Amino acid sequence: MTFQGWLLIAAFVGILLALTKPMGLWLFALYEGRRTPLHAVIGPIERGFYKLSGIDPDAEQSWRRYAVHMLIFNVALLLFTYAVLRLQGLLPLNPQGFAGTSSDLAFNTAISFTTNTNWQSYSGESTLSNLSQMLGLTIHNFLSAATGIALAFALFRGFARRSAATIGNFWADVTRVTLYLLLPICIVYALFLIASGVPQTLAGSVDVTTLEGVKQTLALGPVASQEAIKMLGTNGGGFFNANSAHPFENPTALTNLVQMLSIFMIGFGLTWTFGKAVGNPRQGWAILAAMLLIFLAGVTVTYWQEAAGNPILHNLGIAGGNMEGKEVRFGIAASALFSVVTTAASCGAVNAMHDSFTALGGMIPLFNIQLGEVVVGGVGAGIYGFLLFAILAVFVAGLMVGRTPEYVGKKIESREVKLAVLAIAVLPLIILGFTAIASVTDAGLAGPLNKGPHGFSEILYAFTSAVGNNGSAFAGLTANTPFYNGMLGVAMWIGRFFIIIPMLAIAGSLAAKKYTPETAGSFPTTGALWTGLLVGIVAVVGGLTFLPSLALGPIADHLAMIRGQLF
């Protein structure tokens, strides 16, 4: 570990903290439907969308109606993308002449991008046309991210409103987030990437002559536009197979820093927005403090292990940290930080191969996802997932002091606790269940490149990533098969919507409750004690997934490495 490495981590956190309130203020304006400086330009476009679609943005919806409209919207987008991928060979903007994808790959990819997972069982530059990348995938990068933020707004209203029957309008929330937040930032972001050397063209490829005099064909395409929303919307699906390790996606140390910042920026801002929505910004800072504690612990372990390197190589006289699978232009510190950022959020973009990390270094990205990706998490999904843990935490606190649990002025009763447990239990049940099936069937065992504990880790990571809607992978797994495309597709759908529906039910239940003022006997939910309780609840519940897989997972890898066994 080096001083420069720790300076990078400190600068990263410092910049994000400085951006938290400004981003939170902008999100709060969208949450309330207030006018922003961009309304003079974008307002007519917004009103045009409402007029064409016949939507009244002021007509509020109950939680059930909000959920139904959200599901209809996402199913329609899924079917649209499936059709684009299957008909790719007949559609324009296909300079390489790629044929349509197989039915199982189209199924997997359509679900993947609809659910904001962006898992890719294929190599983008050799499988998808420019039209498929732009119309089939990039559109989801915007709208799945906007859906997540809209859902967070709905839950915020549940906590903030008193005796209300509605939680907002899904169509208005998605439209405003897309037009006034994601699109403006991504235009500026894409221009920055283009200036940094990221391609943005409809050409399919270019022939070049290398310094050695060898002719090489380089894949090109509309990369910058997809890269911007891929990071900002915590999507993660790369234009190229190497993702953000590819120099056309992430060419410099500066673009690498900006990409990491953009992954966390909205998630940080939403914590402040929540505090503002419930009338107490300290509530938001308390949540952010808990997230940061878990995040910094993960960064410390990963950086320490990757900087320490592989003891087997040390015994062979090769000193230094673990640079396998990492880009020299980033180094160990930036790669370790990126891996924790992308798995603490539900981004899934990678600038290094997690499969090549040390055993304990690779354990932290896996553990981050198994926590439910609530350590900042995906845009919208992270904060509403963390609030589910907050409901459990305040319930536990109520049991300890013998009082009806209360949180930000709302009594937390059996209905909210049951729904929170139902949503949180989805993660361990589906991850462990699907991993078990893949580990005992011939089709599942045909996927891992490695055998033994590390092969098991590849399977476990895949289903953890799918259910957690992350999208990163231990890349040793061959996942483009009917078995894995089907199983992972189902896992991604369950991991997204089987959490959203109970969460919206909680929002509706809370919105209907009256406000309960704090008293001297109320459990404080803004101090160090509350932050520690939140961290403990997240860690314990996350262990429900992690501990059962521990013996055959990364720890077994680590022990094997110490014994000198290479997998």
Side-chain angles (χ1 to χ4, degrees), residues 151-298:
L151 293 166
F153 285 175
L155 184 56
F156 293 176
R157 294 187 187 106
F159 280 105
R161 292 183 173 179
R162 307 176 185 184
S163 302
T166 60
I167 57 172
N169 184 300
F170 172 75
W171 303 108
D173 286 340
V174 167
T175 302
R176 288 167 185 158
V177 168
T178 303
L179 291 180
Y180 296 104
L181 178 70
L182 300 178
L183 193 59
I185 294 177
C186 283
I187 290 173
V188 177
Y189 194 174
L191 291 173
F192 161 74
L193 291 174
I194 292 169
S196 301
V198 178
Q200 181 69 21
T201 176
L202 293 179
S205 62
V206 62
D207 294 327
V208 299
T209 302
T210 68
L211 294 176
E212 292 83 7
V214 178
K215 289 188 177 181
Q216 184 176 351
T217 299
L218 300 179
L220 298 175
V223 183
S225 57
Q226 182 168 323
E227 191 71 18
I229 186 58
K230 155 192 165 181
M231 295 301 188
L232 185 67
T234 60
N235 296 282
F239 193 96
F240 299 99
N241 188 44
N243 206 279
S244 288
H246 197 291
F248 282 176
E249 289 197 26
N250 190 10
T252 68
L254 179 59
T255 60
N256 191 65
L257 176 61
V258 171
Q259 288 187 11
M260 289 190 292
L261 290 170
S262 62
I263 292 172
F264 267 11
M265 185 169 64
I266 294 176
F268 267 55
L270 281 168
T271 62
W272 193 91
T273 303
F274 170 71
K276 181 70 172 176
V278 299
N280 185 356
R282 291 180 63 196
Q283 297 286 353
W285 288 118
I287 289 175
L288 183 57
M291 291 178 173
L292 272 176
L293 282 174
I294 302 172
F295 168 72
L296 290 174

